[in-house]
Amino acid sequence: MFGGAGGNKFDMLKQMKKMRSQVKTMEKELAVLNFVGISKNKLLSITLDGKFQMKSIQIEDELLEKKDKGLLEKSIQEAYTKALQDAQAGAAKQMQAMGGFPGLGM
């Protein structure tokens, strides 16, 4: 009854359901991970979760007291870039740990 082409469709649906389940599991696991990027001057930090959503930004009083807009902007860029790079690497590592997604080249 499920042989031939019909069987292939059934198998594909099973695989798609399994992949959806894996994606949901991975999203839940990524959401609880935190990645902190710190500016080079160590006066600003940004925390992202594994889904690249910003969770917090911390600015040291010393940076605010300088009243240097350019320095503040540069510090934000540095911290965000570092946090994003770490979050992307963490997401890739998490995906590998889960066996990737066969059939999608991951």
Side-chain angles (χ1 to χ4, degrees):
M1 179 173 167
F2 290 106
N8 288 337
K9 288 180 185 177
F10 183 71
D11 289 341
M12 281 180 35
L13 287 173
K14 282 174 44 176
Q15 278 185 307
M16 287 178 65
K17 185 176 179 180
K18 182 180 178 184
M19 280 186 9
R20 253 188 247 129
S21 176
Q22 285 179 316
V23 167
K24 285 182 182 181
T25 299
M26 187 173 65
E27 284 178 342
K28 288 177 186 175
E29 290 179 9
L30 289 173
V32 299
L33 297 177
N34 288 313
F35 301 92
V36 179
I38 300 172
S39 63
K40 290 178 184 175
N41 60 20
K42 300 189 183 351
L43 298 177
L44 189 137
S45 66
I46 292 177
T47 303
L48 301 180
D49 68 15
K51 293 173 69 176
F52 315 129
Q53 299 297 309
M54 189 178 301
K55 294 299 185 180
S56 70
I57 183 167
Q58 307 239 326
I59 305 171
E60 295 294 327
D61 290 338
E62 180 183 340
L63 182 58
L64 294 175
E65 290 167 0
K66 292 182 184 222
K67 297 182 181 180
D68 184 340
K69 181 181 174 187
L71 181 60
L72 177 60
E73 290 171 346
K74 185 176 179 180
S75 297
I76 292 169
Q77 288 176 327
E78 290 170 355
Y80 180 78
T81 298
K82 177 70 171 121
L84 182 60
Q85 289 170 344
D86 290 352
Q88 289 171 333
K93 188 176 181 180
Q94 186 74 21
M95 192 180 301
Q96 284 180 328
M98 291 184 69
F101 293 108
L104 296 179
M106 301 176 149

